[in-house]
Amino acid sequence: MPVKDIVSWNAIITGYWQNGFIEESKRLFGLMPVKNVVSWNSMITGCIENERIDEACEYFMEMPERNTASWNAMISGFVKEGRVDEALRLFEEMPNRNVISYTVMVDGYARKGEVDRARYLFDWIPRKNEVSWTVMINGYVENERFDEARALFDMMPEKSLVAITAMITGFCKEGMMEDAKRLFEEIHHRDLVAWNAMIAGYAQNGNAEEAFKLYLQMLKMGMKPDRATLISILTSCSSVASLKGGRQTHAFVIKKGLEPDISLCNALMSMYSKCGDIHESKVLFEQLHSPDLVSWNTIITAFGQHGHCEKAVDLFHEMCEHGLKPDGVTFLCVLSACGHAGKVNESINWYDSMVNEYQIAPRAEHFACLVDILCRAGQLVKAHTIIKEMPFEADAGIWGSLLTACGAYLNVELGELAAMKLVELEPGHSGTYIMLSNIYAAAGMWREVGRVRGLMKEQGVKKEPGCSWVETGNRVHLFKAGDVSHPEISEIVLELRRIGLQMKMSDDYEDIVLG
DNA sequence: GTAGGGTTAG
C-alpha cells in the first residue's frame, strides 16, 4: 500500500474520534491493511481523548514499534487521569525522553500538588521551551506559591501570552489587581483567554464595576465573548444583585445560540437566586438532564438563602438518592441554610454528620460557618470556644462575625478581643474601630469611646461612609451614609420608615429578621 | 505528544 493511502486512512480515523466516534475509528483501524506508527499513535490519542485510557494502553502494548510521541501520548493520558505514578513508570522506562516528556511530567506533579518535585524535574529539562516554563509557572500559581511563580516568570527568557495570562490569574488570586491590570495592558495582542482572565479576576474579587467596564471594552474591540466570559459577567451581576443585567446576559446567551453547558447553567441558577428570583433558579435546575454536584450545591444554597431550610435539606437527601456524593461545599451550603433559619442545633448535627458519617475533613470555612451561625444566634461564648479549639488560625472574617455579634448582643469583653485581633489582621480598616466604639457607646463607656476615636486619629484611620444603590429604569441611584443630596430624599426616607414599620408589624417579623 | 480563562460556600 502506498504511503499516500496510509496518510488518508490516518486522517479519516482521526477525524472520527475527534468528533466522538471512537468506535468508528476502531473499526476502520482494524480494517487497515498496512499501518504505520502514526496510525497507532492516533488510536492511542483517540482513546485518551474519549476517556478510555485502558484501551489506549492496549494499543500501546500491541503496537510493533513506538516512537517518542507514542510514549508521550501515554504519559499525558495518565497525567490527565491524575495517575501520575503510572505516568512516571513509563517516563522512566522510555528509551528517549524529549522536552515534551519532561514537560508533561512537570505538569503532572504540579497538578498533584507536588510542586517541589515538579520543579526538580523542570530544572533537569535540557532545552526548555516556552511550554515548559509556562507549565511550571502555572504550577506555582495553582498551588498558591505565587512568589515562586513571580520569580520564575521574571527569569523566563521570552514571555509567552499563555505565561502572562497565568501570571494575571496569579495576581488576581492574590488580590493584586493593580499588578494584574498592568500586566494585562502590556499585552500587545490580547486573546479571548487573556480578556477572560482579567474579567474573571475582577468578578472574583467582587469588583463588578470593573468587570463590566472591561467587558464593554472587549465588545467594543470586536472580541466575541464565550461561556467563560459570560459566567464571570453573571458572577458580577450576582454580586451587585442586578437581576436586570443577569437577565440581559441570559438573553444574550440565547440570542447568540451559545449552547449553555452545565457550568453556564449553574452560573445562571446562582445569579437568579442571588438576584431574588428563586423561581427561575428552580426552573433552570429542573430543566437540567443530569445536574452535577455544583448544580445541587447551587440549588441547595438558593433555597437556604431564601429561608427555606427544610427544602434545602430535602434537596440534600434527594441528591444522595441520585447517587451523588456530597462534598465539603455541600455541607457549607446546608450549614448556611441552617444558619439563615437560625437553627443552631441542626447546624451542629450536620457538622457532626459530615465528619463522622461522611468522613469529610472540615476546613477552615466550616468552622467559619459554625462560628457565624452561633454568633448570629447570640451564643458568643460558644462561638469563641470554637475559635479557640479549631485546628485553624481564625481569619478576619471569623473575628468580624464575632465583633458584629458582640455589637448586636452587647459583649464588651469578647468585642475588645475580636477588635484587637482584627486590628492586627487588617490595620487601617476603619470598620473595626467604629464597631468597637459603638459597643462601648451602647455599654455607656464613654471614656472608652473617646479613647478609640483618639486612636483612630493617631493611626490615621479614616471612616469610609457606607453606601448602597438602587436600580430603577436605566438609572442607578447611589446613597452614602448621611448623604441627603438626592432630590427626592424626603420621600425616600418616608417610604423607608413605612416599610420598616410594616416589617415590625408583620407576623413574619421573626422570619424576615432571621431569614 | 505539552501550557493560560469559567460555575457552588462566606
Side-chain angles (χ1 to χ4, degrees):
Chain A
M1 190 163 90
V3 181
K4 215 178 80 191
D5 289 349
I6 304 189
V7 173
S8 325
W9 275 87
N10 289 347
I12 294 170
I13 288 177
T14 306
Y16 273 116
W17 63 250
Q18 277 176 342
N19 290 291
F21 300 110
I22 181 75
E23 289 303 333
E24 193 57 19
S25 299
K26 284 171 76 173
R27 200 181 63 82
L28 284 174
F29 181 75
L31 289 173
M32 260 181 110
V34 186
K35 303 165 176 101
N36 63 11
V37 67
V38 179
S39 331
W40 287 92
N41 285 353
S42 167
M43 284 315 295
I44 291 175
T45 313
C47 290
I48 290 168
E49 289 285 314
N50 288 276
E51 290 166 9
R52 300 180 180 202
I53 182 93
D54 296 327
E55 286 171 32
C57 263
E58 284 168 22
Y59 285 112
F60 181 73
M61 301 303 282
E62 255 177 64
M63 65 197 291
E65 52 170 327
R66 305 171 185 128
N67 61 14
T68 308
S70 331
W71 289 87
N72 287 347
M74 284 307 300
I75 293 175
S76 159
F78 279 123
V79 162
K80 280 195 186 114
E81 291 267 306
R83 291 156 69 171
V84 181
D85 294 336
E86 282 150 288
L88 181 65
R89 233 182 24 231
L90 289 177
F91 178 75
E92 283 174 340
E93 242 175 74
M94 70 191 290
N96 300 301
R97 287 173 277 269
N98 63 11
V99 205
I100 297 179
S101 332
Y102 278 94
T103 303
V104 174
M105 283 310 299
V106 170
D107 194 32
Y109 278 125
R111 285 183 200 275
K112 242 185 111 190
E114 298 189 38
V115 198
D116 294 320
R117 233 179 244 261
R119 179 59 191 260
Y120 177 82
L121 263 182
F122 173 79
D123 287 335
W124 271 101
I125 307 180
R127 270 198 293 276
K128 304 172 182 59
N129 62 20
E130 57 176 47
V131 182
S132 325
W133 284 87
T134 308
V135 162
M136 193 61 235
I137 291 168
N138 193 47
Y140 281 129
V141 170
E142 287 284 308
N143 288 283
E144 340 277 46
R145 287 169 56 166
F146 188 60
D147 291 339
E148 285 151 291
R150 232 176 146 168
L152 201 63
F153 181 70
D154 289 339
M155 281 164 59
M156 187 172 178
E158 297 210 4
K159 295 162 178 59
S160 66
L161 178 54
V162 181
I164 294 173
T165 309
M167 285 303 292
I168 290 176
T169 304
F171 277 121
C172 293
K173 267 184 152 182
E174 297 288 305
M176 300 164 76
M177 298 312 291
E178 298 289 317
D179 298 85
K181 188 71 189 295
R182 197 171 35 74
L183 205 52
F184 177 74
E185 280 173 346
E186 281 171 14
I187 305 173
H188 298 295
H189 300 287
R190 293 166 208 157
D191 67 359
L192 181 58
V193 180
W195 280 97
N196 285 350
M198 197 62 226
I199 294 175
Y202 283 125
Q204 285 160 4
N205 280 281
N207 193 341
E209 203 184 334
E210 284 302 324
F212 293 140
K213 261 196 210 161
L214 211 58
Y215 176 59
L216 289 179
Q217 202 184 320
M218 169 183 160
L219 295 177
K220 224 183 258 172
M221 293 189 64
M223 294 291 289
K224 297 248 180 298
D226 68 356
R227 294 187 190 90
T229 325
L230 295 169
I231 285 172
S232 294
I233 292 306
L234 287 168
T235 302
S236 296
C237 292
S238 306
S239 72
V240 292
S242 168
L243 182 57
K244 205 175 153 189
R247 278 189 180 136
Q248 274 173 8
T249 312
H250 191 177
F252 185 87
V253 169
I254 296 167
K255 205 173 82 187
K256 295 286 166 186
L258 281 163
E259 193 66 30
D261 63 357
I262 191 122
S263 307
L264 186 50
C265 288
N266 293 342
L268 282 167
M269 280 164 53
S270 175
M271 178 279 293
Y272 278 115
S273 159
K274 290 196 174 116
C275 294
D277 192 344
I278 176 92
H279 178 73
E280 188 60 30
S281 184
K282 186 167 160 262
V283 168
L284 283 170
F285 179 76
E286 283 163 354
Q287 281 171 359
L288 290 174
H289 297 294
S290 51
D292 66 4
L293 188 58
V294 176
S295 322
W296 284 99
N297 289 350
T298 305
I299 197 72
I300 290 171
T301 304
F303 280 102
Q305 279 166 341
H306 287 262
H308 308 293
C309 178
E310 270 142 44
K311 180 75 184 156
V313 169
D314 287 346
L315 282 161
F316 174 89
H317 292 122
E318 209 181 302
M319 173 187 132
C320 296
E321 281 160 21
H322 277 79
L324 277 103
K325 280 204 194 328
D327 67 353
V329 175
T330 314
F331 282 93
L332 279 172
C333 301
V334 175
L335 283 173
S336 91
C338 290
H340 282 294
K343 299 188 172 180
V344 178
N345 295 331
E346 279 90 338
S347 309
I348 293 169
N349 291 340
W350 277 105
Y351 173 81
D352 288 336
S353 149
M354 172 180 97
V355 175
N356 301 319
E357 205 176 316
Y358 292 87
Q359 315 264 314
I360 293 171
R363 289 190 319 219
E365 289 94 329
H366 295 101
F367 291 103
C369 199
L370 279 182
V371 168
D372 192 53
I373 293 169
L374 287 166
C375 283
R376 283 169 198 270
Q379 302 191 19
L380 307 184
V381 177
K382 263 194 201 161
H384 184 223
T385 309
I386 291 187
I387 295 177
K388 280 188 295 189
E389 289 175 359
M390 64 186 194
F392 298 95
E393 214 40 60
D395 64 3
I398 291 186
W399 290 116
S401 296
L402 186 63
L403 180 59
T404 308
C406 288
Y409 294 95
L410 201 57
N411 183 325
V412 176
E413 199 188 326
L414 281 178
E416 283 174 331
L417 174 73
M420 205 175 74
K421 295 282 186 184
L422 274 169
V423 170
E424 275 173 27
L425 289 167
E426 313 178 313
H429 200 285
S430 64
T432 308
Y433 296 89
I434 306 291
M435 283 213 274
L436 183 61
S437 136
N438 288 347
I439 292 174
Y440 284 138
M445 299 162 71
W446 303 108
R447 266 182 49 191
E448 261 52 44
V449 173
R451 198 170 57 81
V452 174
R453 296 282 150 120
L455 210 61
M456 278 180 80
K457 237 183 220 159
E458 204 179 286
Q459 317 248 331
V461 182
K462 284 212 176 58
K463 187 182 170 186
E464 303 268 350
C467 85
S468 66
W469 58 91
V470 175
E471 206 187 323
T472 49
N474 279 325
R475 290 197 57 184
V476 176
H477 301 264
L478 183 82
F479 300 90
K480 288 185 179 173
D483 166 22
V484 290
S485 63
H486 195 281
E488 292 171 89
I489 191 69
S490 42
E491 285 91 334
I492 292 169
V493 170
L494 228 69
E495 179 64 12
L496 279 175
R497 288 215 184 112
R498 197 186 62 76
I499 297 171
L501 205 66
Q502 205 179 14
M503 281 171 71
K504 274 189 192 146
M505 292 192 313
S506 157
D507 287 334
D508 295 333
Y509 181 54
E510 290 277 292
D511 288 344
I512 292 168
V513 172
L514 293 171

